[in-house]
Amino acid sequence: MRSLVVLDQLEKSFGRMRAVDRVSLELPPGEIFGFLGANGAGKTTTIRMLCGLTRPDGGRASIAGLDVWAQRSEARKLFGYMPQKFSLYPDLSVLENLRFFAGACRVPAAEAPARIEALIERADLRAKRDALAGSLSGGMKQLLALACALVHEPKLLFLDEPTAGLDPVHRQQMWDLLYELSHGGVAVFVTTHYMDEAERCTQLGFIHRGRLLAQAPPDRLKSSFRAKLLELEVDPVMPALLRLRAESGVLGAALRSGRVRLYAPDPEALLARWTQAWPHADLRLLGHRWAEPDMEDVFTAYSQGYDALLDRA
Ligand code: ATP
C-alpha cells in the first residue's frame, strides 16, 4: 500500500549534537508505528519535524506527498498531533474544549456538533461533558486531548507518549481507541517507553542517539534475538548482578524477578564453566533457567549494540 508518511534521510542537529541522524522510514495507512528510544534519543524531535514545527537540517519527509516543511500549512490539515503536554483549556468544559478545537481546525459548523458528540462517546467522556477540563483525572485529560486531536478527522495521528503516567484502565482505553482508528485506516505514529505497548504496535522502530537501529513488526524484532537467555538465581542478587556483568563472555546483565538475566553470545559455555567451578565464593549459585526474550531484551540488545545476540532485522 502507498505510504502516507515517508522519511528519507531526515536529519536535525542542535549545535554539534545530532538529535536525529539520517532517519528513513515509511508509514502506510492503518499502521500503528511505535517509536521506541531512551530519553533524549530523538523521538520528539522527529515528530516535531514531521508536524512542521522544527525545520529539518537535511533529508526530507513528506505526508501524502506534501513536504513537511515547505508545505507545512497544507500538510498540517492532514494530521492530528498530541504532544507530551497537550494544552487543554482548564477553565473550559470538556464540551467547550472540543468546540474550541473544532473551530480552530475549521470543522464546518454544520458537522461539528455530531462529530463532537461521537468523540465524547468514543473517549468515554459522557459523564464528564460539562466538567471543567482542569478538574479531570490525568487519564481523562489524556482521552480528552486525544479527542481534541481527532476533531478534524485526520488520516494520520502523532502521539508523543500518550499514556505516560496513566493507570492501566485508561491506558487500555487509549489503546482501544488507537485500534479503532487504525481499523478505520488512520495511520498512528506513537512514541512510548512501555515495552508492553510496543508489542501492540504493527511496526516498531528503535531509535538510539538519533539513529534508527531497526524497523520491523514486533514479532520479527523478537525473532531477530537469536541467543539463548540464561537466568541465574544467586544470593545475594545485587552484588551478583554487578559481578556477573564484569565476567568474560558476558555482554550485559539485568535483574528480572529476582534473578540475573545474562546477555551473552554463548551462555551454555558459561553455564558449563560455572557449574564446574563457581568463581564467586561469597555468592551462592542456587539454580538456573532459560528465559524467552521479551521486547525489553530485544531493545536492550539493539541499543547496547549486542550484535552477537542478533540477526539484525
Ligand atoms: P524523551 O523521551 O525524553 O522525550 P526524545 O527521544 O523525545 O526524549 P528529543 O526530545 O527529541 O528526545 O531530544 C533529542 C536530543 O536533542 C536531546 O539530547 C535533547 O536534549 C536535544 N534537544 C531537543 N530539542 C532541543 C532544542 N530545542 N535545543 C537544543 N537541544 C535540543
Side-chain angles (χ1 to χ4, degrees):
M1 204 184 292
R2 208 167 153 256
S3 290
L4 185 62
V5 187
V6 179
L7 282 72
D8 181 15
Q9 301 277 309
L10 195 66
E11 232 180 275
K12 179 74 192 178
S13 296
F14 294 107
R16 293 169 67 183
M17 204 264 311
R18 223 179 238 192
V20 176
D21 191 358
R22 289 163 294 171
V23 168
S24 297
L25 59 90
E26 298 196 9
L27 182 59
E31 194 93 75
I32 302 183
F33 180 81
F35 210 30
L36 250 83
N39 293 125
K43 305 178 297 293
T44 300
T45 306
T46 304
I47 287 193
R48 287 180 57 81
M49 284 193 280
L50 296 176
C51 292
L53 299 169
T54 297
R55 183 185 194 145
D57 297 330
R60 64 183 303 272
S62 60
I63 296 173
L66 297 169
D67 187 276
V68 294
W69 184 255
Q71 295 168 290
R72 57 189 179 282
S73 46
E74 285 148 86
R76 204 162 279 170
K77 294 174 194 147
L78 305 179
F79 64 79
Y81 173 39
M82 188 173 142
Q84 274 177 25
K85 289 208 162 42
F86 191 92
S87 305
L88 292 166
Y89 289 88
D91 299 336
L92 298 185
S93 70
V94 165
L95 186 63
E96 288 163 341
N97 266 283
L98 282 160
R99 279 186 187 146
F100 172 84
F101 282 97
C105 295
R106 303 215 165 92
V107 174
E111 289 174 30
R115 252 193 231 183
I116 288 171
E117 287 311 316
L119 282 167
I120 286 177
E121 279 298 309
R122 277 174 102 176
D124 203 15
L125 288 166
R126 279 174 314 278
K128 296 284 177 183
R129 52 184 288 138
D130 297 315
L132 296 184
S135 73
L136 298 179
S137 69
M140 285 188 174
K141 274 188 191 137
Q142 290 296 84
L143 286 164
L144 175 57
L146 179 57
C148 290
L150 290 171
V151 78
H152 58 305
E153 297 188 332
K155 279 286 163 202
L156 169 64
L157 191 59
F158 293 109
L159 304 162
D160 203 351
E161 293 182 33
T163 59
L166 294 199
D167 65 43
V169 174
H170 284 108
R171 276 174 67 190
Q172 187 58 50
Q173 272 181 315
M174 184 72 86
W175 274 94
D176 287 344
L177 252 163
L178 298 186
Y179 288 138
E180 228 181 90
L181 291 165
S182 149
H183 282 307
V186 174
V188 179
F189 190 110
V190 57
T191 73
T192 179
H193 288 290
Y194 298 113
M195 297 295 159
D196 61 317
E197 290 193 348
E199 304 219 29
R200 302 179 191 211
C201 299
T202 55
Q203 280 280 325
L204 276 184
F206 289 161
I207 185 167
H208 184 64
R209 294 193 181 141
R211 291 190 47 229
L212 188 68
L213 301 178
Q215 186 202 341
D219 282 355
R220 194 137 69 79
L221 283 171
K222 265 198 190 166
S223 57
S224 72
F225 193 101
R226 63 184 163 94
K228 291 180 80 176
L229 273 177
L230 176 61
E231 271 189 4
L232 296 182
E233 201 177 329
V234 194
D235 185 51
V237 72
M238 288 315 286
L241 179 69
L242 300 177
R243 212 84 68 73
L244 290 168
R245 256 186 204 151
E247 282 281 336
S248 70
V250 173
L251 297 173
L255 195 61
R256 292 294 184 89
S257 311
R259 298 186 182 84
V260 180
R261 185 173 286 198
L262 293 170
Y263 301 115
D266 191 356
E268 274 154 337
L270 288 176
L271 186 63
R273 193 169 95 205
W274 290 335
T275 39
Q276 235 180 19
W278 176 244
H280 305 288
D282 54 334
L283 304 173
R284 286 195 311 140
L285 178 59
L286 302 172
H288 79 274
R289 69 174 193 185
W290 297 99
E292 279 299 310
D294 57 25
M295 198 50 81
E296 193 162 338
D297 298 315
V298 182
F299 178 68
T300 301
Y302 276 91
S303 56
Q304 298 299 313
Y306 298 159
D307 284 354
L309 311 185
L310 296 168
D311 279 327
R312 281 189 176 268

Short mmCIF file of all heavy atoms in Angstrom, two decimals, residues 31-55:
data_model
loop_
_atom_site.label_atom_id
_atom_site.label_comp_id
_atom_site.label_asym_id
_atom_site.label_seq_id
_atom_site.Cartn_x
_atom_site.Cartn_y
_atom_site.Cartn_z
N GLU A 31 -1.45 1.74 9.72
CA GLU A 31 -0.34 1.18 10.51
C GLU A 31 -0.25 1.89 11.86
O GLU A 31 -0.49 3.10 11.95
CB GLU A 31 0.94 1.43 9.72
CG GLU A 31 2.15 0.65 10.20
CD GLU A 31 2.31 -0.66 9.44
OE1 GLU A 31 2.75 -0.63 8.28
OE2 GLU A 31 1.98 -1.70 10.04
N ILE A 32 0.08 1.12 12.90
CA ILE A 32 0.41 1.76 14.19
C ILE A 32 1.91 1.61 14.37
O ILE A 32 2.41 0.50 14.62
CB ILE A 32 -0.34 1.12 15.38
CG1 ILE A 32 -1.85 1.19 15.16
CG2 ILE A 32 0.04 1.82 16.68
CD1 ILE A 32 -2.68 0.63 16.31
N PHE A 33 2.61 2.70 14.18
CA PHE A 33 4.07 2.66 14.25
C PHE A 33 4.52 3.14 15.62
O PHE A 33 4.24 4.26 16.03
CB PHE A 33 4.66 3.57 13.15
CG PHE A 33 6.17 3.59 13.17
CD1 PHE A 33 6.89 2.57 12.57
CD2 PHE A 33 6.85 4.62 13.80
CE1 PHE A 33 8.28 2.57 12.59
CE2 PHE A 33 8.25 4.63 13.82
CZ PHE A 33 8.96 3.61 13.23
N GLY A 34 5.20 2.26 16.34
CA GLY A 34 5.70 2.60 17.68
C GLY A 34 7.15 3.02 17.60
O GLY A 34 7.97 2.30 17.04
N PHE A 35 7.44 4.16 18.16
CA PHE A 35 8.79 4.71 18.11
C PHE A 35 9.38 4.59 19.51
O PHE A 35 8.88 5.23 20.45
CB PHE A 35 8.66 6.18 17.69
CG PHE A 35 9.81 6.72 16.91
CD1 PHE A 35 10.58 5.92 16.08
CD2 PHE A 35 10.12 8.07 16.97
CE1 PHE A 35 11.62 6.44 15.34
CE2 PHE A 35 11.15 8.61 16.24
CZ PHE A 35 11.91 7.79 15.42
N LEU A 36 10.39 3.75 19.63
CA LEU A 36 10.94 3.46 20.95
C LEU A 36 12.36 3.97 21.07
O LEU A 36 13.18 3.74 20.19
CB LEU A 36 11.02 1.94 21.13
CG LEU A 36 10.06 1.36 22.12
CD1 LEU A 36 8.73 1.18 21.43
CD2 LEU A 36 10.57 0.04 22.63
N GLY A 37 12.64 4.60 22.18
CA GLY A 37 14.01 5.05 22.42
C GLY A 37 14.09 5.61 23.81
O GLY A 37 13.09 6.03 24.39
N ALA A 38 15.30 5.66 24.36
CA ALA A 38 15.51 6.19 25.69
C ALA A 38 15.24 7.70 25.68
O ALA A 38 15.04 8.29 24.60
CB ALA A 38 16.95 5.93 26.12
N ASN A 39 15.23 8.33 26.84
CA ASN A 39 15.09 9.78 26.91
C ASN A 39 16.21 10.42 26.10
O ASN A 39 17.36 10.00 26.21
CB ASN A 39 15.19 10.29 28.36
CG ASN A 39 14.01 9.82 29.21
OD1 ASN A 39 14.19 9.21 30.24
ND2 ASN A 39 12.82 10.11 28.75
N GLY A 40 15.84 11.38 25.29
CA GLY A 40 16.86 12.10 24.51
C GLY A 40 17.28 11.38 23.24
O GLY A 40 18.20 11.82 22.55
N ALA A 41 16.60 10.29 22.88
CA ALA A 41 17.01 9.52 21.68
C ALA A 41 16.68 10.24 20.38
O ALA A 41 17.29 9.95 19.35
CB ALA A 41 16.34 8.14 21.70
N GLY A 42 15.71 11.14 20.42
CA GLY A 42 15.38 11.88 19.20
C GLY A 42 13.94 11.70 18.73
O GLY A 42 13.58 12.13 17.63
N LYS A 43 13.09 11.11 19.58
CA LYS A 43 11.71 10.82 19.17
C LYS A 43 10.90 12.11 18.97
O LYS A 43 10.28 12.30 17.93
CB LYS A 43 11.03 9.93 20.22
CG LYS A 43 11.77 8.64 20.51
CD LYS A 43 11.09 7.81 21.59
CE LYS A 43 11.00 8.48 22.95
NZ LYS A 43 12.29 8.68 23.62
N THR A 44 10.93 12.96 19.99
CA THR A 44 10.13 14.19 19.91
C THR A 44 10.61 15.07 18.77
O THR A 44 9.80 15.65 18.03
CB THR A 44 10.20 14.95 21.25
OG1 THR A 44 9.68 14.10 22.27
CG2 THR A 44 9.37 16.23 21.21
N THR A 45 11.92 15.16 18.59
CA THR A 45 12.46 15.99 17.51
C THR A 45 11.97 15.47 16.16
O THR A 45 11.60 16.25 15.28
CB THR A 45 14.00 16.01 17.56
OG1 THR A 45 14.39 16.41 18.88
CG2 THR A 45 14.58 16.96 16.55
N THR A 46 11.93 14.14 16.00
CA THR A 46 11.42 13.58 14.74
C THR A 46 9.96 13.97 14.54
O THR A 46 9.57 14.45 13.47
CB THR A 46 11.56 12.03 14.76
OG1 THR A 46 12.92 11.70 15.02
CG2 THR A 46 11.12 11.41 13.45
N ILE A 47 9.16 13.79 15.58
CA ILE A 47 7.73 14.12 15.46
C ILE A 47 7.55 15.61 15.17
O ILE A 47 6.75 16.00 14.32
CB ILE A 47 6.96 13.73 16.75
CG1 ILE A 47 6.82 12.22 16.83
CG2 ILE A 47 5.59 14.40 16.79
CD1 ILE A 47 5.85 11.73 17.87
N ARG A 48 8.33 16.45 15.84
CA ARG A 48 8.19 17.89 15.62
C ARG A 48 8.54 18.28 14.18
O ARG A 48 7.93 19.16 13.60
CB ARG A 48 9.04 18.68 16.63
CG ARG A 48 8.43 18.64 18.05
CD ARG A 48 9.28 19.44 19.03
NE ARG A 48 9.46 20.82 18.62
CZ ARG A 48 8.60 21.80 18.79
NH1 ARG A 48 7.45 21.56 19.41
NH2 ARG A 48 8.86 23.03 18.39
N MET A 49 9.52 17.58 13.61
CA MET A 49 9.83 17.86 12.20
C MET A 49 8.67 17.43 11.31
O MET A 49 8.29 18.15 10.38
CB MET A 49 11.13 17.14 11.78
CG MET A 49 12.38 17.82 12.31
SD MET A 49 13.87 17.20 11.53
CE MET A 49 14.14 15.69 12.41
N LEU A 50 8.11 16.26 11.62
CA LEU A 50 7.01 15.77 10.79
C LEU A 50 5.78 16.68 10.89
O LEU A 50 5.01 16.80 9.95
CB LEU A 50 6.64 14.33 11.18
CG LEU A 50 7.74 13.29 10.94
CD1 LEU A 50 7.32 11.92 11.44
CD2 LEU A 50 8.09 13.21 9.45
N CYS A 51 5.64 17.32 12.04
CA CYS A 51 4.49 18.22 12.24
C CYS A 51 4.78 19.63 11.74
O CYS A 51 3.96 20.53 11.94
CB CYS A 51 4.11 18.26 13.72
SG CYS A 51 3.45 16.71 14.30
N GLY A 52 5.94 19.85 11.15
CA GLY A 52 6.26 21.18 10.61
C GLY A 52 6.57 22.20 11.68
O GLY A 52 6.45 23.40 11.46
N LEU A 53 6.98 21.75 12.86
CA LEU A 53 7.28 22.68 13.96
C LEU A 53 8.77 22.94 14.09
O LEU A 53 9.18 23.92 14.69
CB LEU A 53 6.75 22.10 15.29
CG LEU A 53 5.24 21.89 15.34
CD1 LEU A 53 4.85 21.07 16.56
CD2 LEU A 53 4.53 23.24 15.36
N THR A 54 9.58 22.02 13.59
CA THR A 54 11.03 22.16 13.63
C THR A 54 11.54 21.94 12.21
O THR A 54 11.11 20.98 11.56
CB THR A 54 11.64 21.09 14.57
OG1 THR A 54 11.16 21.33 15.88
CG2 THR A 54 13.16 21.14 14.58
N ARG A 55 12.43 22.80 11.80
CA ARG A 55 12.92 22.70 10.42
C ARG A 55 14.01 21.64 10.31
O ARG A 55 15.00 21.70 11.05
CB ARG A 55 13.50 24.05 10.00
CG ARG A 55 13.96 24.07 8.60
CD ARG A 55 14.62 25.38 8.26
NE ARG A 55 14.75 25.46 6.83
CZ ARG A 55 14.65 26.58 6.11
NH1 ARG A 55 14.42 27.71 6.71
NH2 ARG A 55 14.79 26.54 4.82
#
